[in-house]
Amino acid sequence: MRFIWWLMTKTPMVQTAEQGSFPEVMCATEEALTEQRALYGPTGRLEAVGPVGKGTLNAHAYDKAVMRRLWEKSEQAVGFDWKL
């Protein structure tokens, strides 16, 4: 298992915890973000690695019915109802 982990660290698709935290830190601290409803993350190969910036957000992410179903499924999965 150690060998497999070592091998994975040699690929360009693996990032450190520090690199993985960049999108969250940027969104929490950057005052110049133009869109609140956007995807910010790696902008390199397949939007999986590379510098942080505005990524591609698919059209279904704006679909209210899809949003509602995802929220309901998430509540069911964790066993918690956020409706007050």
Side-chain angles (χ1 to χ4, degrees):
M1 195 63 175
R2 287 181 191 210
F3 174 74
I4 292 172
W5 179 250
W6 176 84
L7 193 59
M8 285 176 52
T9 63
K10 303 304 176 200
T11 69
M13 297 300 287
V14 177
Q15 297 182 6
T16 65
E18 181 182 359
Q19 292 168 323
S21 69
F22 286 168
E24 289 81 6
V25 172
M26 185 189 87
C27 288
T29 60
E30 182 65 44
E31 294 180 16
L33 293 180
T34 56
E35 282 187 61
Q36 291 295 316
R37 185 179 284 177
L39 173 67
Y40 293 95
T43 56
R45 184 181 314 168
L46 300 173
E47 293 185 356
V49 295
V52 176
K54 187 174 176 201
T56 304
L57 193 57
N58 296 322
H60 65 269
Y62 295 105
D63 186 330
K64 295 284 186 184
V66 171
M67 288 182 207
R68 187 172 24 264
R69 285 195 314 268
L70 176 59
W71 187 263
E72 290 167 358
K73 292 285 185 187
S74 299
E75 285 182 331
Q76 290 171 3
V78 298
F80 189 82
D81 186 359
W82 283 95
K83 297 175 187 93
L84 300 176

